[in-house]
Amino acid sequence: MLRHKGTVPLPTERLLLRRFTLEDADAMYENWAKDAAVSRFLTWEPHRSTEDSKAFLRSLDYSRPQTYEWAITYGGTPIGSISVVSIDENAHIAALGYCIGRAFWNRGITSEAVRAVIAFLFDEVGVHRVEIDHAEKNPASGAVAKKCGFTYEGKSRAKFYRHGEYLDICHWAVLAEDRKR
């Protein structure tokens, strides 16, 4: 049985992963949510205004212990997000999703956040497996998975339809026992 803890603060060497607040709407909008390059391969469209960001933040239900939605903060400012996008309670599997602002790409920030979240999910929540799926046309997301110890498990052809094209989706996973090797 999983031991849900909810979105607790997770400090790392350079970051603090924490719950979003409504006051994060402006930074969310400016730093990543309005950028079509950030959301290009994701399930949501760029925000049109801070009102879209506020609406998203209002939709978060932190009262549920199964909610895992962190703001990735760097220097105290939200620059992205990382979340558990799905949980299989019976098989003890969590799937992650993440994004950060383009100004922060290629600095190891996303990998640092992913490492913190998977350690938390394995050690505190008790998951057995953590998964990451990404569009094959977004190899940077696969590089994060590989850097964080995930194993590439294959791809599903034409699984995701986005902006007029079918995209192949790559599947990665790490098991609790993989971390002990």
Side-chain angles (χ1 to χ4, degrees):
M1 182 146 100
L2 296 177
R3 303 175 303 275
H4 290 294
K5 311 276 182 177
T7 307
V8 300
L10 300 176
T12 71
E13 185 177 323
R14 298 180 293 170
L15 311 171
L16 174 62
L17 309 183
R18 61 159 173 79
R19 290 180 177 195
F20 280 101
T21 68
L22 199 53
E23 289 75 35
D24 294 327
D26 289 338
M28 175 184 224
Y29 178 73
E30 290 299 326
N31 289 336
W32 77 93
K34 72 178 182 179
D35 189 343
V38 172
S39 65
R40 180 175 176 207
F41 300 112
L42 303 178
T43 58
W44 50 273
E45 294 297 327
H47 293 187
R48 296 170 306 235
S49 69
T50 57
E51 289 308 311
D52 286 349
S53 299
K54 285 179 184 175
F56 169 77
L57 295 173
R58 283 188 195 103
S59 76
L60 297 175
D61 184 1
Y62 286 121
S63 69
R64 296 181 62 243
Q66 303 91 332
T67 297
Y68 299 102
E69 183 80 43
W70 289 273
I72 300 171
T73 64
Y74 180 73
T77 301
I79 61 163
S81 68
I82 185 166
S83 60
V84 174
V85 296
S86 68
I87 297 175
D88 182 327
E89 296 282 343
N90 293 325
H92 305 149
I93 299 170
L96 294 184
Y98 45 81
C99 64
I100 64 167
R102 197 177 346 177
F104 302 94
W105 290 358
N106 301 310
R107 295 191 198 176
I109 291 171
T110 305
S111 299
E112 189 172 328
V114 168
R115 282 190 201 100
V117 170
I118 65 173
F120 169 75
L121 291 171
F122 286 133
D123 299 341
E124 300 296 323
V125 179
V127 302
H128 167 71
R129 175 183 168 97
V130 178
E131 301 173 338
I132 291 174
D133 287 351
H134 68 88
E136 186 175 46
K137 287 188 173 184
N138 183 12
S141 198
V144 168
K146 184 174 184 176
K147 190 175 179 181
C148 293
F150 286 69
T151 299
Y152 178 71
E153 295 186 330
K155 72 179 172 183
S156 297
R157 296 179 307 130
K159 180 161 181 161
F160 183 56
Y161 187 76
R162 182 84 166 137
H163 300 277
E165 70 176 318
Y166 291 99
L167 298 169
D168 294 346
I169 299 298
C170 299
H171 307 288
W172 296 79
V174 63
L175 305 178
E177 63 223 36
D178 294 340
R179 296 175 62 233
K180 297 174 182 138
R181 293 182 192 157

